[in-house]
Amino acid sequence: MKIASIEAIPFNIPLERPTAFAHASISSAEHVLIRVTTDDGVVGHAEAPARPFTYGESQESIVKAIDSWFSPAMVGTDPFDREVARNDLSWLRHNHTARGGVDMAVWDVIGKSLGRSCHKLLGGYTDSMEVVHILFAATPEGMVEEARDMRERFGFNTFKIKTGKNVKEDARAMRMLRAELGEGPEMYVDANKGWTADETIRLLPVMEEVGITMLEEPTPAFRPLARRRVAKKSSIPIMGDESVTRLGEVGREILDNHSQIISIKVARTGFTESDRIVGLCEGLGIGLALGSQMDGTVGTLSSLAFAAAYKSTSDRAGELDYFMQLTDDIVAETPVIENGRMHVSGKPGIGIEIDEDKLNHYRIDKD
Ligand SMILES: [Mg+2]
């Protein structure tokens, strides 16, 4: 079996409402569907989300990278030889989501060709994951309303609070949410690098008081002394996200003791490199949490297949609900969240079935 083609299909799906966080805002899922087809007709899919504010990639650059570099290097090769592909493209810097997407689409091919789910092939630890609801609302009052509504409708028991825009409002949101939710539900925060070290340190007592369990990317990792000050003072573990976009960065952040938990996102490290990150973190005694790259449904199914395969990535709740922000979808069947959990389908490969009519409607490379 050889790879016959790798296609990169850009598509846009409007969001229910714009998603705003500390340093950017998006109003539409501008993603690229990656389709790998083999010479004997097996078709694998994955999704690369354009996140210029994190990786410097655009839809155009993802398509260009796949057409110019990934496709020429990999067409004609055996999809099982993932280590050969990884090595052949090791010279290429950045292009995180293009690289991650191609890797996962190849894994989808591998699973389908074997008639086994990627979840099983990777480890098959559990068939369901607890899901985090990420609170993006603009005001503390909006967050409280959103948390109440999502808890009632879907049974969420873990919430991530998007902070980093206004310290006073962030403190108010944390206190109001704890008052609304009671002692039970887990809450953690993601400042998306939006706080200074001083601001973060001033907020630590509030975060301790309301029982925040993880402090995600409080300050920019490229200001290492600021990060070090926060890490020294904080009793709450710091989770690296934007600072750990590849294996080497994970190693650096851990050795510098700037992060004690690593956000693993298959959108940027695929399955192959994510597996190495899991091993590195387990070996060093560092925690893992499944993060969302504001994944669409294809990306969500990929994240679920990976995270549910390992104990260390499924012990904590995973960020798997962003697809609900989309106004429509390119998959035939959207996943369901019940009692705060999402179940692995067990279908061969990642379990993605593309609705070709919907894809034709939302793709932007054809009239
Ligand atoms: Mg984050």
Side-chain angles (χ1 to χ4, degrees):
M1 183 170 66
K2 300 272 189 268
I3 294 173
S5 68
I6 305 180
E7 296 165 77
I9 305 165
F11 65 95
N12 291 355
I13 301 178
L15 299 176
E16 294 282 357
R17 59 177 189 270
T19 295
F21 42 99
H23 57 268
S25 172
I26 62 170
S27 56
S28 169
E30 297 178 359
H31 298 182
V32 178
L33 183 73
I34 297 168
R35 176 176 283 166
V36 173
T37 306
T38 68
D39 55 1
D40 49 5
V42 181
V43 182
H45 291 107
E47 176 180 61
R51 299 289 175 260
F53 37 81
T54 307
Y55 308 114
E57 291 173 286
S58 63
Q59 267 176 317
E60 293 86 348
S61 79
I62 292 167
V63 172
K64 175 73 178 162
I66 287 165
D67 290 348
S68 297
W69 298 315
F70 289 92
S71 180
M74 292 173 69
V75 167
T77 66
D78 184 335
F80 281 80
D81 296 345
R82 298 183 322 280
E83 190 66 4
V84 176
R86 186 169 186 260
N87 192 54
D88 284 350
L89 285 154
S90 62
W91 60 270
L92 178 63
R93 289 190 28 87
H94 307 302
N95 293 286
H96 296 77
T97 70
R99 195 190 306 267
V102 170
D103 179 71
M104 291 187 287
V106 167
W107 267 97
D108 194 29
V109 163
I110 289 171
K112 283 177 174 165
S113 73
L114 295 172
R116 302 303 302 267
S117 69
C118 291
H119 161 254
K120 282 278 185 197
L121 292 173
L122 288 162
Y125 178 70
T126 177
D127 61 4
S128 76
M129 290 261 305
E130 189 194 338
V131 181
V132 179
H133 178 65
I134 305 176
L135 294 161
F136 283 102
T139 62
E141 287 78 8
M143 284 187 177
V144 166
E145 195 183 319
E146 186 182 328
R148 186 188 303 137
D149 178 52
M150 297 305 280
R151 191 160 157 75
E152 274 171 20
R153 287 166 60 203
F154 301 100
F156 288 108
N157 206 37
T158 302
F159 295 88
K160 166 152 119 175
I161 311 165
K162 281 288 191 181
T163 59
K165 284 178 280 191
N166 178 316
V167 176
K168 277 190 180 159
E169 290 293 272
D170 291 342
R172 208 159 68 80
M174 287 187 254
R175 287 187 166 128
M176 285 177 64
L177 282 162
R178 180 54 79 203
E180 165 66 27
L181 295 170
E183 289 303 307
E186 178 176 351
M187 303 197 312
Y188 62 104
V189 297
D190 183 2
N192 288 108
K193 312 174 286 182
W195 289 334
T196 64
D198 290 340
E199 286 169 340
T200 311
I201 290 165
R202 272 207 305 278
L203 280 168
L204 283 172
V206 179
M207 291 191 271
E208 286 164 356
E209 168 199 315
V210 302
I212 295 297
T213 55
M214 298 186 284
L215 174 49
E216 182 172 341
E217 213 71 57
T219 63
F222 53 79
R223 299 200 174 111
L225 290 181
R227 186 75 165 242
R228 200 162 296 172
R229 277 185 61 218
V230 172
K232 259 191 167 166
K233 296 256 183 197
S234 180
S235 64
I236 302 166
I238 294 174
M239 173 150 68
D241 176 10
E242 291 96 325
S243 56
V244 291
T245 63
R246 51 196 165 136
L247 182 63
E249 289 177 353
V250 174
R252 184 201 62 202
E253 282 295 290
I254 294 171
L255 291 175
D256 286 345
N257 197 25
H258 291 174
S259 296
Q260 295 81 42
I261 295 176
I262 298 300
S263 172
I264 199 156
K265 293 187 175 177
V266 296
R268 63 186 172 212
T269 44
F271 290 170
T272 303
E273 187 154 320
S274 295
D275 176 76
R276 284 169 157 85
I277 291 172
V278 169
L280 176 66
C281 292
E282 285 182 1
L284 292 170
I286 291 289
L288 287 153
L290 176 73
S292 164
Q293 200 56 64
M294 294 181 285
D295 299 315
T297 310
V298 172
T300 298
L301 292 170
S302 306
S303 296
L304 176 65
F306 183 86
Y310 304 82
K311 183 175 188 306
S312 55
T313 50
S314 59
D315 276 351
R316 284 187 176 81
E319 297 175 2
L320 291 161
D321 83 333
Y322 190 80
F323 72 94
M324 291 199 287
Q325 301 288 327
L326 305 181
T327 51
D328 201 358
D329 223 319
I330 58 163
V331 298
E333 207 179 319
T334 48
V336 175
I337 298 171
E338 270 178 334
N339 299 319
R341 299 191 76 83
M342 189 182 280
H343 288 261
V344 178
S345 76
K347 290 177 186 162
I350 295 170
I352 299 160
E353 196 191 329
I354 299 297
D355 181 327
E356 294 295 334
D357 291 339
K358 289 279 185 72
L359 177 62
N360 281 331
H361 178 73
Y362 289 108
R363 66 190 296 173
I364 57 167
D365 57 342
K366 287 191 174 164
D367 290 334

mmCIF file of all heavy atoms in Angstrom, residues 53-87:
data_model
loop_
_atom_site.group_PDB
_atom_site.id
_atom_site.type_symbol
_atom_site.label_atom_id
_atom_site.label_comp_id
_atom_site.label_asym_id
_atom_site.label_seq_id
_atom_site.Cartn_x
_atom_site.Cartn_y
_atom_site.Cartn_z
ATOM 1 N N PHE A 53 -2.136 33.358 15.340
ATOM 2 C CA PHE A 53 -1.680 33.998 16.578
ATOM 3 C C PHE A 53 -0.879 33.042 17.456
ATOM 4 O O PHE A 53 -0.220 33.463 18.400
ATOM 5 C CB PHE A 53 -2.867 34.556 17.357
ATOM 6 C CG PHE A 53 -4.092 33.676 17.283
ATOM 7 C CD1 PHE A 53 -4.217 32.571 18.084
ATOM 8 C CD2 PHE A 53 -5.097 33.956 16.353
ATOM 9 C CE1 PHE A 53 -5.325 31.755 17.995
ATOM 10 C CE2 PHE A 53 -6.219 33.135 16.260
ATOM 11 C CZ PHE A 53 -6.339 32.025 17.078
ATOM 12 N N THR A 54 -0.921 31.748 17.172
ATOM 13 C CA THR A 54 -0.138 30.794 17.962
ATOM 14 C C THR A 54 0.994 30.179 17.146
ATOM 15 O O THR A 54 2.106 30.007 17.631
ATOM 16 C CB THR A 54 -1.039 29.664 18.511
ATOM 17 O OG1 THR A 54 -2.130 30.252 19.206
ATOM 18 C CG2 THR A 54 -0.275 28.767 19.481
ATOM 19 N N TYR A 55 0.716 29.828 15.899
ATOM 20 C CA TYR A 55 1.710 29.097 15.098
ATOM 21 C C TYR A 55 2.180 29.858 13.860
ATOM 22 O O TYR A 55 3.036 29.367 13.136
ATOM 23 C CB TYR A 55 1.130 27.743 14.664
ATOM 24 C CG TYR A 55 0.586 26.952 15.818
ATOM 25 C CD1 TYR A 55 -0.771 26.676 15.921
ATOM 26 C CD2 TYR A 55 1.433 26.513 16.832
ATOM 27 C CE1 TYR A 55 -1.278 25.974 17.003
ATOM 28 C CE2 TYR A 55 0.935 25.816 17.917
ATOM 29 C CZ TYR A 55 -0.427 25.545 18.000
ATOM 30 O OH TYR A 55 -0.922 24.861 19.075
ATOM 31 N N GLY A 56 1.580 31.011 13.565
ATOM 32 C CA GLY A 56 1.957 31.751 12.364
ATOM 33 C C GLY A 56 1.434 31.128 11.084
ATOM 34 O O GLY A 56 1.836 31.517 9.993
ATOM 35 N N GLU A 57 0.527 30.150 11.191
ATOM 36 C CA GLU A 57 -0.003 29.509 9.986
ATOM 37 C C GLU A 57 -1.338 30.133 9.586
ATOM 38 O O GLU A 57 -2.128 30.536 10.440
ATOM 39 C CB GLU A 57 -0.245 28.016 10.231
ATOM 40 C CG GLU A 57 1.008 27.179 10.408
ATOM 41 C CD GLU A 57 0.647 25.741 10.807
ATOM 42 O OE1 GLU A 57 0.255 25.540 11.968
ATOM 43 O OE2 GLU A 57 0.755 24.840 9.955
ATOM 44 N N SER A 58 -1.588 30.164 8.279
ATOM 45 C CA SER A 58 -2.892 30.569 7.747
ATOM 46 C C SER A 58 -3.437 29.390 6.945
ATOM 47 O O SER A 58 -2.716 28.432 6.662
ATOM 48 C CB SER A 58 -2.736 31.781 6.829
ATOM 49 O OG SER A 58 -1.938 31.428 5.708
ATOM 50 N N GLN A 59 -4.708 29.501 6.558
ATOM 51 C CA GLN A 59 -5.242 28.451 5.672
ATOM 52 C C GLN A 59 -4.373 28.333 4.419
ATOM 53 O O GLN A 59 -4.045 27.236 3.980
ATOM 54 C CB GLN A 59 -6.661 28.820 5.232
ATOM 55 C CG GLN A 59 -7.758 28.259 6.090
ATOM 56 C CD GLN A 59 -9.101 28.747 5.635
ATOM 57 O OE1 GLN A 59 -9.280 29.925 5.319
ATOM 58 N NE2 GLN A 59 -10.070 27.863 5.604
ATOM 59 N N GLU A 60 -4.013 29.490 3.849
ATOM 60 C CA GLU A 60 -3.208 29.480 2.619
ATOM 61 C C GLU A 60 -1.850 28.820 2.868
ATOM 62 O O GLU A 60 -1.364 28.061 2.029
ATOM 63 C CB GLU A 60 -2.990 30.913 2.109
ATOM 64 C CG GLU A 60 -4.243 31.601 1.613
ATOM 65 C CD GLU A 60 -5.029 32.299 2.738
ATOM 66 O OE1 GLU A 60 -4.720 32.049 3.939
ATOM 67 O OE2 GLU A 60 -5.955 33.055 2.425
ATOM 68 N N SER A 61 -1.237 29.117 4.003
ATOM 69 C CA SER A 61 0.103 28.558 4.245
ATOM 70 C C SER A 61 0.029 27.050 4.511
ATOM 71 O O SER A 61 0.940 26.309 4.133
ATOM 72 C CB SER A 61 0.797 29.290 5.402
ATOM 73 O OG SER A 61 0.341 28.845 6.662
ATOM 74 N N ILE A 62 -1.070 26.602 5.144
ATOM 75 C CA ILE A 62 -1.221 25.164 5.391
ATOM 76 C C ILE A 62 -1.361 24.433 4.042
ATOM 77 O O ILE A 62 -0.705 23.409 3.795
ATOM 78 C CB ILE A 62 -2.437 24.895 6.302
ATOM 79 C CG1 ILE A 62 -2.176 25.445 7.716
ATOM 80 C CG2 ILE A 62 -2.744 23.397 6.371
ATOM 81 C CD1 ILE A 62 -3.412 25.519 8.609
ATOM 82 N N VAL A 63 -2.218 24.975 3.162
ATOM 83 C CA VAL A 63 -2.414 24.350 1.836
ATOM 84 C C VAL A 63 -1.092 24.337 1.071
ATOM 85 O O VAL A 63 -0.695 23.325 0.485
ATOM 86 C CB VAL A 63 -3.512 25.103 1.041
ATOM 87 C CG1 VAL A 63 -3.575 24.599 -0.392
ATOM 88 C CG2 VAL A 63 -4.870 24.969 1.733
ATOM 89 N N LYS A 64 -0.388 25.468 1.116
ATOM 90 C CA LYS A 64 0.886 25.587 0.392
ATOM 91 C C LYS A 64 1.920 24.585 0.938
ATOM 92 O O LYS A 64 2.646 23.937 0.176
ATOM 93 C CB LYS A 64 1.395 27.028 0.539
ATOM 94 C CG LYS A 64 2.749 27.315 -0.050
ATOM 95 C CD LYS A 64 2.714 27.363 -1.553
ATOM 96 C CE LYS A 64 4.096 27.709 -2.120
ATOM 97 N NZ LYS A 64 4.194 27.359 -3.544
ATOM 98 N N ALA A 65 1.979 24.464 2.254
ATOM 99 C CA ALA A 65 2.958 23.544 2.865
ATOM 100 C C ALA A 65 2.673 22.105 2.439
ATOM 101 O O ALA A 65 3.598 21.338 2.139
ATOM 102 C CB ALA A 65 2.904 23.663 4.394
ATOM 103 N N ILE A 66 1.401 21.752 2.404
ATOM 104 C CA ILE A 66 1.064 20.373 2.038
ATOM 105 C C ILE A 66 1.334 20.139 0.554
ATOM 106 O O ILE A 66 1.934 19.130 0.178
ATOM 107 C CB ILE A 66 -0.387 20.066 2.456
ATOM 108 C CG1 ILE A 66 -0.404 19.927 3.988
ATOM 109 C CG2 ILE A 66 -0.907 18.792 1.780
ATOM 110 C CD1 ILE A 66 -1.742 19.985 4.623
ATOM 111 N N ASP A 67 0.925 21.093 -0.279
ATOM 112 C CA ASP A 67 1.149 20.930 -1.723
ATOM 113 C C ASP A 67 2.640 20.944 -2.075
ATOM 114 O O ASP A 67 3.085 20.221 -2.963
ATOM 115 C CB ASP A 67 0.437 22.053 -2.505
ATOM 116 C CG ASP A 67 -1.078 21.900 -2.466
ATOM 117 O OD1 ASP A 67 -1.564 20.827 -2.035
ATOM 118 O OD2 ASP A 67 -1.784 22.855 -2.860
ATOM 119 N N SER A 68 3.401 21.794 -1.396
ATOM 120 C CA SER A 68 4.800 21.991 -1.803
ATOM 121 C C SER A 68 5.786 21.053 -1.113
ATOM 122 O O SER A 68 6.832 20.751 -1.679
ATOM 123 C CB SER A 68 5.239 23.430 -1.492
ATOM 124 O OG SER A 68 4.483 24.340 -2.219
ATOM 125 N N TRP A 69 5.469 20.636 0.126
ATOM 126 C CA TRP A 69 6.470 19.878 0.879
ATOM 127 C C TRP A 69 5.995 18.499 1.321
ATOM 128 O O TRP A 69 6.653 17.512 1.070
ATOM 129 C CB TRP A 69 6.918 20.694 2.112
ATOM 130 C CG TRP A 69 7.569 21.990 1.750
ATOM 131 C CD1 TRP A 69 8.522 22.194 0.780
ATOM 132 C CD2 TRP A 69 7.298 23.280 2.307
ATOM 133 N NE1 TRP A 69 8.870 23.515 0.721
ATOM 134 C CE2 TRP A 69 8.140 24.205 1.653
ATOM 135 C CE3 TRP A 69 6.457 23.739 3.316
ATOM 136 C CZ2 TRP A 69 8.145 25.565 1.974
ATOM 137 C CZ3 TRP A 69 6.465 25.088 3.634
ATOM 138 C CH2 TRP A 69 7.298 25.980 2.965
ATOM 139 N N PHE A 70 4.838 18.448 2.005
ATOM 140 C CA PHE A 70 4.399 17.153 2.545
ATOM 141 C C PHE A 70 4.024 16.181 1.429
ATOM 142 O O PHE A 70 4.430 15.023 1.435
ATOM 143 C CB PHE A 70 3.223 17.350 3.522
ATOM 144 C CG PHE A 70 3.651 17.992 4.809
ATOM 145 C CD1 PHE A 70 3.599 19.371 4.963
ATOM 146 C CD2 PHE A 70 4.139 17.229 5.854
ATOM 147 C CE1 PHE A 70 4.011 19.977 6.146
ATOM 148 C CE2 PHE A 70 4.552 17.812 7.037
ATOM 149 C CZ PHE A 70 4.495 19.204 7.181
ATOM 150 N N SER A 71 3.243 16.661 0.471
ATOM 151 C CA SER A 71 2.787 15.774 -0.600
ATOM 152 C C SER A 71 3.953 15.228 -1.434
ATOM 153 O O SER A 71 4.079 14.010 -1.595
ATOM 154 C CB SER A 71 1.743 16.513 -1.451
ATOM 155 O OG SER A 71 1.304 15.687 -2.478
ATOM 156 N N PRO A 72 4.858 16.087 -1.943
ATOM 157 C CA PRO A 72 5.976 15.540 -2.722
ATOM 158 C C PRO A 72 6.838 14.554 -1.925
ATOM 159 O O PRO A 72 7.344 13.578 -2.489
ATOM 160 C CB PRO A 72 6.793 16.785 -3.092
ATOM 161 C CG PRO A 72 5.828 17.914 -3.032
ATOM 162 C CD PRO A 72 4.844 17.561 -1.950
ATOM 163 N N ALA A 73 7.005 14.801 -0.632
ATOM 164 C CA ALA A 73 7.870 13.910 0.166
ATOM 165 C C ALA A 73 7.195 12.577 0.472
ATOM 166 O O ALA A 73 7.867 11.563 0.646
ATOM 167 C CB ALA A 73 8.263 14.599 1.478
ATOM 168 N N MET A 74 5.852 12.566 0.539
ATOM 169 C CA MET A 74 5.183 11.374 1.075
ATOM 170 C C MET A 74 4.416 10.559 0.039
ATOM 171 O O MET A 74 4.152 9.371 0.269
ATOM 172 C CB MET A 74 4.235 11.789 2.214
ATOM 173 C CG MET A 74 5.018 12.298 3.431
ATOM 174 S SD MET A 74 3.966 12.987 4.736
ATOM 175 C CE MET A 74 3.129 11.524 5.326
ATOM 176 N N VAL A 75 4.018 11.163 -1.082
ATOM 177 C CA VAL A 75 3.319 10.375 -2.110
ATOM 178 C C VAL A 75 4.284 9.295 -2.623
ATOM 179 O O VAL A 75 5.457 9.567 -2.880
ATOM 180 C CB VAL A 75 2.804 11.283 -3.249
ATOM 181 C CG1 VAL A 75 2.375 10.448 -4.456
ATOM 182 C CG2 VAL A 75 1.625 12.133 -2.753
ATOM 183 N N GLY A 76 3.772 8.080 -2.713
ATOM 184 C CA GLY A 76 4.610 6.959 -3.158
ATOM 185 C C GLY A 76 5.231 6.184 -2.008
ATOM 186 O O GLY A 76 5.826 5.129 -2.208
ATOM 187 N N THR A 77 5.079 6.693 -0.770
ATOM 188 C CA THR A 77 5.653 5.983 0.382
ATOM 189 C C THR A 77 4.582 5.123 1.060
ATOM 190 O O THR A 77 3.386 5.313 0.852
ATOM 191 C CB THR A 77 6.239 6.963 1.425
ATOM 192 O OG1 THR A 77 5.165 7.739 2.000
ATOM 193 C CG2 THR A 77 7.251 7.903 0.798
ATOM 194 N N ASP A 78 5.036 4.192 1.905
ATOM 195 C CA ASP A 78 4.133 3.325 2.666
ATOM 196 C C ASP A 78 3.616 4.104 3.879
ATOM 197 O O ASP A 78 4.424 4.589 4.683
ATOM 198 C CB ASP A 78 4.931 2.082 3.120
ATOM 199 C CG ASP A 78 4.067 1.055 3.843
ATOM 200 O OD1 ASP A 78 3.025 1.442 4.415
ATOM 201 O OD2 ASP A 78 4.454 -0.121 3.846
ATOM 202 N N PRO A 79 2.300 4.239 4.050
ATOM 203 C CA PRO A 79 1.786 5.019 5.188
ATOM 204 C C PRO A 79 2.199 4.462 6.549
ATOM 205 O O PRO A 79 2.207 5.201 7.545
ATOM 206 C CB PRO A 79 0.265 4.971 5.007
ATOM 207 C CG PRO A 79 -0.006 3.875 4.051
ATOM 208 C CD PRO A 79 1.212 3.739 3.196
ATOM 209 N N PHE A 80 2.541 3.181 6.604
ATOM 210 C CA PHE A 80 2.983 2.618 7.886
ATOM 211 C C PHE A 80 4.380 3.120 8.285
ATOM 212 O O PHE A 80 4.751 3.033 9.446
ATOM 213 C CB PHE A 80 2.996 1.086 7.831
ATOM 214 C CG PHE A 80 1.627 0.475 7.985
ATOM 215 C CD1 PHE A 80 0.754 0.421 6.907
ATOM 216 C CD2 PHE A 80 1.198 -0.015 9.208
ATOM 217 C CE1 PHE A 80 -0.512 -0.121 7.041
ATOM 218 C CE2 PHE A 80 -0.068 -0.550 9.356
ATOM 219 C CZ PHE A 80 -0.933 -0.606 8.269
ATOM 220 N N ASP A 81 5.132 3.639 7.308
ATOM 221 C CA ASP A 81 6.508 4.078 7.598
ATOM 222 C C ASP A 81 6.505 5.511 8.135
ATOM 223 O O ASP A 81 7.134 6.415 7.570
ATOM 224 C CB ASP A 81 7.384 3.968 6.338
ATOM 225 C CG ASP A 81 7.544 2.530 5.872
ATOM 226 O OD1 ASP A 81 7.226 1.607 6.662
ATOM 227 O OD2 ASP A 81 7.972 2.339 4.714
ATOM 228 N N ARG A 82 5.837 5.706 9.240
ATOM 229 C CA ARG A 82 5.668 7.065 9.765
ATOM 230 C C ARG A 82 7.013 7.676 10.184
ATOM 231 O O ARG A 82 7.220 8.880 10.073
ATOM 232 C CB ARG A 82 4.725 7.054 10.970
ATOM 233 C CG ARG A 82 3.323 6.577 10.646
ATOM 234 C CD ARG A 82 2.429 6.666 11.846
ATOM 235 N NE ARG A 82 3.107 6.315 13.086
ATOM 236 C CZ ARG A 82 3.343 5.072 13.494
ATOM 237 N NH1 ARG A 82 2.941 4.049 12.774
ATOM 238 N NH2 ARG A 82 3.978 4.848 14.628
ATOM 239 N N GLU A 83 7.897 6.838 10.653
ATOM 240 C CA GLU A 83 9.190 7.359 11.121
ATOM 241 C C GLU A 83 10.032 7.849 9.934
ATOM 242 O O GLU A 83 10.825 8.778 10.084
ATOM 243 C CB GLU A 83 9.922 6.276 11.920
ATOM 244 C CG GLU A 83 11.143 6.746 12.658
ATOM 245 C CD GLU A 83 10.839 7.736 13.806
ATOM 246 O OE1 GLU A 83 9.663 8.008 14.085
ATOM 247 O OE2 GLU A 83 11.807 8.246 14.380
ATOM 248 N N VAL A 84 9.836 7.218 8.768
ATOM 249 C CA VAL A 84 10.557 7.676 7.572
ATOM 250 C C VAL A 84 10.030 9.059 7.176
ATOM 251 O O VAL A 84 10.805 9.995 6.922
ATOM 252 C CB VAL A 84 10.376 6.675 6.400
ATOM 253 C CG1 VAL A 84 11.040 7.204 5.131
ATOM 254 C CG2 VAL A 84 10.947 5.305 6.779
ATOM 255 N N ALA A 85 8.692 9.200 7.161
ATOM 256 C CA ALA A 85 8.095 10.494 6.794
ATOM 257 C C ALA A 85 8.537 11.571 7.784
ATOM 258 O O ALA A 85 8.881 12.697 7.407
ATOM 259 C CB ALA A 85 6.572 10.372 6.792
ATOM 260 N N ARG A 86 8.542 11.210 9.065
ATOM 261 C CA ARG A 86 8.912 12.181 10.104
ATOM 262 C C ARG A 86 10.345 12.655 9.897
ATOM 263 O O ARG A 86 10.647 13.847 9.960
ATOM 264 C CB ARG A 86 8.766 11.508 11.471
ATOM 265 C CG ARG A 86 8.970 12.421 12.649
ATOM 266 C CD ARG A 86 8.538 11.718 13.934
ATOM 267 N NE ARG A 86 8.588 12.618 15.059
ATOM 268 C CZ ARG A 86 9.580 12.656 15.941
ATOM 269 N NH1 ARG A 86 10.598 11.833 15.821
ATOM 270 N NH2 ARG A 86 9.556 13.512 16.939
ATOM 271 N N ASN A 87 11.209 11.706 9.590
ATOM 272 C CA ASN A 87 12.615 12.058 9.391
ATOM 273 C C ASN A 87 12.821 12.842 8.100
ATOM 274 O O ASN A 87 13.560 13.825 8.062
ATOM 275 C CB ASN A 87 13.451 10.776 9.398
ATOM 276 C CG ASN A 87 14.924 11.077 9.493
ATOM 277 O OD1 ASN A 87 15.355 11.783 10.393
ATOM 278 N ND2 ASN A 87 15.696 10.574 8.553
#
